[in-house]
Structure formats: C-alpha cells, structure tokens
Amino acid sequence: PASVTEFTGSGSLQTDVGGVVQSTTVIATAGGDASLTIGQGTRALDHSGAHLGSVSVESIPPADLPGAAEPVGRAIRCGPDGATFDPAIRISFTLTSEEWERYGEGQFVVRWYNSGTDTWEPLTTTIYSETRTVTAIITHFTLVAVFAVPADEIPTTVTPPLTDPTLTFG
C-alpha cells in the first residue's frame, strides 16, 4: 500500500517538480475532530501555479464565520489561500455523539464559503454513520463547515464504514 504521512495543524507535502504529491498526506486539526487528506498523485499548486510545499488546517469557532447560516459547530480554514488540487482532496469532520443526536442522523452537508457571493455553497457529502464522520471533496482551499439541513436539501451519499485502516479518521 501507498505510504501515508500524518501531521497535526500543518505539514509539508512531498511533491515532484510538477507539484504532484508523492505520498498521501493527512493533516488533522489540533483537536483531532477534522482533517484533510491529499492523496498520492494529486497535483497541489499554490495561488501562482507553483508546487505547494506545505499546508495547514485550523478549527474556526462558528461565531467567527461569515454569512448568516449557522454550522453544526465544526468549521475549518485550510491554507494557504488560493491552493488548488487535481483531483479533489477529502475533508472530514467527526461529530460528537451530542451533535449527531441533536441534528439527526444523516441531516448534514459540508459547505464551502464563497467570498465572492458571500454564500455557503454545498459540496457532495458522504456520511459514515458508524463513525459519525461527515466527508466532502473539494478542489481548492477555503473556509469549510458542516451544516445541519432538512433531508430534502442534502446532496449526499450514505456509505458503509471506511475499511482501509490507513484512511480512517476520528
């Protein structure tokens, strides 16, 4: 299996001269309740198109988020701003039992903040019920948060638990 490099808060990417990631990299927030996974073979570029040397992820308090919508309580800022990924990377949030029960199983969607329109836009979201993990894929760094929504507004797929132990979160 491919090697996995893990960091907390921030970490360096092993890339070739074209910005292609050589080893799957997982970076978790300091609290361990959210993480991002950049897969091996992903082209990771900064805002100017140069290969990306390092990345960071930090938890953001819901009160500090822009826009009128209120997230479940999990929000992160990924950096550096302007970084892009091809193919998309995975962002995962592990909810507490209390959050999971309060908002209803399966009633979650991950959204990214579009500063140009001042709106939170939905991402295709996968829910792993057995681990209370909510995951989405994204092609760029921005603010990202988990929101509780009515079931008819969820662009989700419900998936069985992760079986690859190298990519299990929470």
Side-chain angles (χ1 to χ4, degrees), residues 81-106:
D81 288 340
T84 61
F85 303 91
D86 182 24
I89 63 170
R90 181 170 47 181
I91 295 179
S92 298
F93 297 87
T94 301
L95 304 179
T96 65
S97 304
E98 179 183 279
E99 290 167 334
W100 191 262
E101 292 170 15
R102 182 180 339 137
Y103 294 105
E105 182 177 327

Side-chain angles (χ1 to χ4, degrees), residues 7-158:
F7 298 97
T8 300
S10 64
S12 59
L13 292 179
Q14 299 172 7
T15 62
D16 65 14
V17 294
V20 176
V21 176
Q22 302 298 298
S23 168
T24 297
T25 303
V26 178
I27 302 176
T29 58
D33 57 358
S35 64
L36 59 94
T37 302
I38 304 169
Q40 180 179 1
T42 300
R43 182 175 306 272
L45 304 175
D46 68 13
H47 70 280
S48 64
H51 69 88
L52 194 58
S54 64
V55 295
S56 64
V57 59
E58 70 175 311
S59 293
I60 303 295
D64 293 348
L65 296 175
E70 185 175 325
V72 168
R74 298 279 184 263
I76 59 173
R77 178 185 310 279
C78 302
D81 288 340
T84 61
F85 303 91
D86 182 24
I89 63 170
R90 181 170 47 181
I91 295 179
S92 298
F93 297 87
T94 301
L95 304 179
T96 65
S97 304
E98 179 183 279
E99 290 167 334
W100 191 262
E101 292 170 15
R102 182 180 339 137
Y103 294 105
E105 182 177 327
Q107 303 293 308
F108 305 102
V109 65
V110 177
R111 295 179 177 163
W112 68 278
Y113 181 69
N114 182 334
S115 59
T117 61
D118 192 33
T119 59
W120 287 91
E121 299 189 17
L123 296 167
T124 299
T125 300
T126 303
I127 298 170
Y128 299 95
S129 300
E130 290 186 14
T131 59
R132 297 183 319 274
T133 303
V134 181
T135 300
I137 56 172
I138 192 165
T139 59
H140 64 285
F141 275 165
T142 184
L143 283 173
V144 181
V146 177
F147 291 82
V149 296
D152 60 347
E153 293 181 27
I154 302 174
T156 56
T157 55
V158 177

